[in-house]
Amino acid sequence: MSLRSLVDVPAPAKLNLFLHVVGQREDGYHLLQSLFALIDWADTLHLERRGDGLLRRHDLGPALPADDLTLRAAGLLQSKSGARWGADISVLKSVPWGAGMGGGSSDAASALLALNRLWGLNWPRKRLMALGLELGADVPFFIGGDNAFVEGIGERLTPVALPAQRYAVLKPPATLDTRAVFASPELVRSTDAAIISGFLENEAKLVAWAADEARNDLQAVAQMLCPEVAQAAEWLGQRFGNSRMTGSGSAVFARVREEPERIGTEFVGVDTPPRATWPADHEIQTGWVGRICRGLPQHPLQNWATD
């Protein structure tokens, strides 16, 4: 085997353009409908093959938990495949924690795709996606490689071709406890399910519906539990004319309608030097993180697994 390392492996985040809770299973899992959109805000992984079978993670930025999802993904793939190889996995975090942007799930998915190549396993995409579901509901989406209409608990994916779009994404310092959000008696669990077939005939219609008529059913509860979510939504709404929470985290996003040359790539914090050409009223509070993101037509590792 000649491949010994893979560097600069991207793990892009996602936005939930909408999120509806349409029911609940007897085992307690909530049934969802959502539109997942890949964005170019990404973590970066570097992987080196080890001959001793050990799995080691190295943090190049903020420290990760000892048993994070990336390391668990590597261990699960090693166990299920019987691979004798190990790996050093270095992770540079950029996507903020607790944002509802799928950062940890994306890291795990990119690790599975990369190790599948590094260890010469050549597992097909569907087999990797089934393994990913054992790690978390969002992991199969990132392995699938396409923007998607998502149903069930996250395992039913229908690829969608989304038009090019920019999003302003804002994350306050506070994080949300996903379990507390879903356990709240105030959570609406009976939103009428959308019929996807009609939308797939016209992706622009689907995006317009997601932007103007749909919502995130978790947002009202999240704002009660975390007032900073409401602050972020108001801040973006005042500047971009729209806002919505993504996933079950505290990040909020807005569709950006300005011409590309009028916007930069990062918000300017009040205590940091300017890094983009933003008007003064686009400055954000200290400790908040924001960025202008581009939607991706597909996952950058989409061709790393065969169908």
Side-chain angles (χ1 to χ4, degrees):
M1 182 185 297
S2 59
L3 191 62
R4 302 186 64 88
S5 65
L6 290 167
V7 299
D8 296 328
V9 177
K14 57 85 178 168
L15 297 175
N16 296 75
L17 300 191
F18 74 90
L19 194 161
H20 291 173
V21 182
V22 299
Q24 189 172 10
R25 302 194 318 194
E26 291 184 0
D27 61 6
Y29 280 97
H30 288 78
L31 299 173
L32 311 174
Q33 284 190 328
S34 188
L35 182 59
F36 281 16
L38 293 158
I39 57 174
D40 63 358
W41 197 342
D43 295 337
T44 305
L45 279 62
H46 310 286
L47 302 96
E48 291 191 37
R49 195 184 75 216
R50 295 178 64 121
D52 57 9
L54 296 177
L55 298 171
R56 295 288 184 265
R57 194 199 67 239
H58 310 279
D59 301 330
L60 303 181
L64 300 173
D67 184 30
D68 78 307
L69 206 57
T70 304
L71 209 54
R72 286 167 52 195
L76 186 60
L77 180 62
Q78 186 185 57
S79 173
K80 296 287 187 178
S81 68
R84 65 180 181 87
W85 304 104
D88 285 298
I89 306 172
S90 299
V91 182
L92 178 60
K93 289 295 294 181
S94 174
V95 178
W97 284 100
M101 297 164 64
S105 295
S106 185
D107 292 347
S110 288
L112 289 175
L113 288 164
L115 291 172
N116 188 43
R117 302 185 94 196
L118 197 62
W119 292 344
L121 302 177
N122 299 315
W123 279 22
R125 189 184 314 278
K126 287 185 178 180
R127 192 174 181 186
L128 290 172
M129 291 173 69
L131 191 69
L133 189 60
E134 297 185 36
L135 297 162
D138 288 349
V139 179
F141 162 72
F142 291 105
I143 298 173
D146 295 302
N147 296 302
F149 185 84
V150 181
E151 299 177 275
I153 62 171
E155 82 284 8
R156 293 163 53 195
L157 304 172
T158 303
V160 174
L162 297 178
Q165 179 64 56
R166 286 177 172 79
Y167 304 95
V169 185
L170 182 60
K171 166 70 170 64
T175 58
L176 280 164
D177 182 344
T178 298
R179 290 172 295 181
V181 174
F182 277 104
S184 172
E186 304 297 325
L187 177 64
V188 175
R189 297 174 171 85
S190 56
T191 296
D192 291 338
I195 306 301
I196 183 60
S197 58
F199 287 119
L200 291 180
E201 298 172 0
N202 186 337
E203 280 84 2
K205 178 182 177 182
L206 173 60
V207 172
W209 173 81
D212 300 328
E213 299 180 41
R215 61 185 179 275
N216 186 333
D217 283 342
L218 308 182
Q219 186 165 345
V221 172
Q223 291 181 164
M224 288 189 293
L225 297 174
C226 180
E228 287 182 324
V229 173
Q231 295 174 25
E234 181 181 6
W235 192 94
L236 286 175
Q238 290 175 348
R239 288 158 179 80
F240 297 98
N242 67 100
S243 67
R244 183 171 299 160
M245 189 179 83
T246 178
S248 60
S250 58
V252 179
F253 70 94
R255 290 193 302 155
V256 177
R257 299 186 176 93
E258 286 89 343
E259 294 298 320
E261 60 269 16
R262 294 181 57 194
I263 58 177
T265 57
E266 284 193 79
F267 294 112
V268 179
V270 295
D271 63 341
T272 59
R275 289 171 289 178
T277 56
W278 281 83
D281 68 348
H282 281 46
E283 293 180 348
I284 60 176
Q285 299 182 45
T286 302
W288 293 50
V289 181
R291 184 175 295 191
I292 295 292
C293 301
R294 286 181 170 85
L296 300 175
Q298 63 182 27
H299 196 289
L301 306 182
Q302 201 268 347
N303 293 325
W304 279 30
T306 57
D307 294 320

